[in-house]
Amino acid sequence: MLYFSFFLVPSFVSCTPLALFFFEQVLVAKSYFDLNTFVDQILGVVFEKAHQRRIVLACFDPDVCLCLRVKQDRYPVVHLSMGGSTKYERSSDIRQRSLKAAVAFAKSNELLGVGVDCEEILEDSALRREALKSGLVLWTWGKSNNDQKRVEEQKAARIHVIIHDRMSLSGKTRNVFEEERLMSSRAQ
């Protein structure tokens, strides 16, 4: 846990409690024991230091997402996916190979949402509509999200969350916790 404390604790201490924390876990696991230990260490620090902070947990590894979801229900989990993009190395995991598979995985495991490369979503309106109809929160990521024009296109397309590096692009938007609350009220 020392390794994770070294990186996570200063973030919790130095950042305002009003900031949204988006933790993307990166893991190269050799076994499910490694995965379990990794997730336990991350959650240990988060539970100890988060207090009342708003946190979203996310990972490209579907097994890590599942483990995060099963081990706790305090913080929402987002499955990040390469989707059908040809820009990246094709994953051997079927849950990573298409947005449709990522959505099915996230829905069946009660995750908050899925995140995909913004170019895939913007280029395929049928895919975007299907993802938005799933009831999951749709996130996008990618270098194009730092381009104001692409951000505006996604806002117009009603993408829920746009992950980018430049805060000045965001404008005034609802945060993911408001989206989650709205989804819960619709389900009831």
Side-chain angles (χ1 to χ4, degrees):
M1 189 148 106
L2 182 60
Y3 175 78
F4 297 107
S5 296
F6 179 77
F7 290 103
L8 290 178
V9 171
S11 298
F12 283 121
V13 171
S14 65
C15 205
T16 174
L18 299 177
L20 167 66
F21 271 78
F22 176 76
F23 284 114
E24 176 190 338
Q25 287 77 35
V26 178
L27 168 70
V28 178
K30 295 178 182 156
S31 72
Y32 284 104
F33 296 110
D34 291 343
L35 183 146
N36 191 51
T37 300
F38 172 79
V39 169
D40 285 348
Q41 289 176 346
I42 291 286
L43 290 176
V45 173
V46 170
F47 287 146
E48 181 182 336
K49 299 294 181 181
H51 305 294
Q52 297 300 312
R53 291 183 191 276
R54 300 172 307 166
I55 294 176
V56 174
L57 303 167
C59 190
F60 281 95
D61 184 324
D63 291 327
V64 172
C65 290
L66 183 57
C67 199
L68 287 166
R69 175 67 181 94
V70 169
K71 287 180 171 274
Q72 58 85 41
D73 61 0
R74 185 181 304 175
Y75 304 112
V77 179
V78 173
H79 171 47
L80 302 174
S81 173
M82 301 298 183
S85 177
T86 56
K87 293 192 293 188
Y88 309 100
E89 185 178 325
R90 187 174 169 98
S91 173
S92 61
D93 191 322
I94 192 76
R95 299 168 292 182
Q96 280 285 87
R97 289 191 188 164
S98 71
L99 178 58
K100 190 173 185 174
V103 165
F105 170 75
K107 281 188 69 94
S108 67
N109 290 289
E110 299 179 355
L111 303 184
L112 173 66
V114 294
V116 294
D117 187 296
C118 67
E119 295 300 326
E120 181 179 13
I121 286 295
L122 289 172
E123 291 170 8
D124 189 338
S125 60
L127 187 63
R128 181 176 60 246
R129 280 192 304 276
E130 186 177 331
L132 289 168
K133 283 190 337 187
S134 72
L136 297 170
V137 176
L138 181 59
W139 299 57
T140 63
W141 53 267
K143 288 183 182 180
S144 294
N145 279 357
N146 292 324
D147 176 343
Q148 182 67 43
K149 181 181 176 210
R150 295 309 255 173
V151 168
E152 293 304 321
E153 288 176 46
Q154 291 178 76
K155 287 180 180 180
R158 307 193 45 86
I159 303 301
H160 300 115
V161 181
I162 303 166
I163 302 168
H164 55 86
D165 299 327
R166 294 179 22 209
M167 295 301 292
S168 61
L169 295 178
S170 62
K172 187 172 176 79
T173 57
R174 290 189 305 222
N175 69 46
V176 69
F177 296 97
E178 291 177 44
E179 294 294 339
E180 184 179 43
R181 183 181 51 77
L182 288 172
M183 285 177 43
S184 294
S185 65
R186 281 187 229 141
Q188 295 174 355

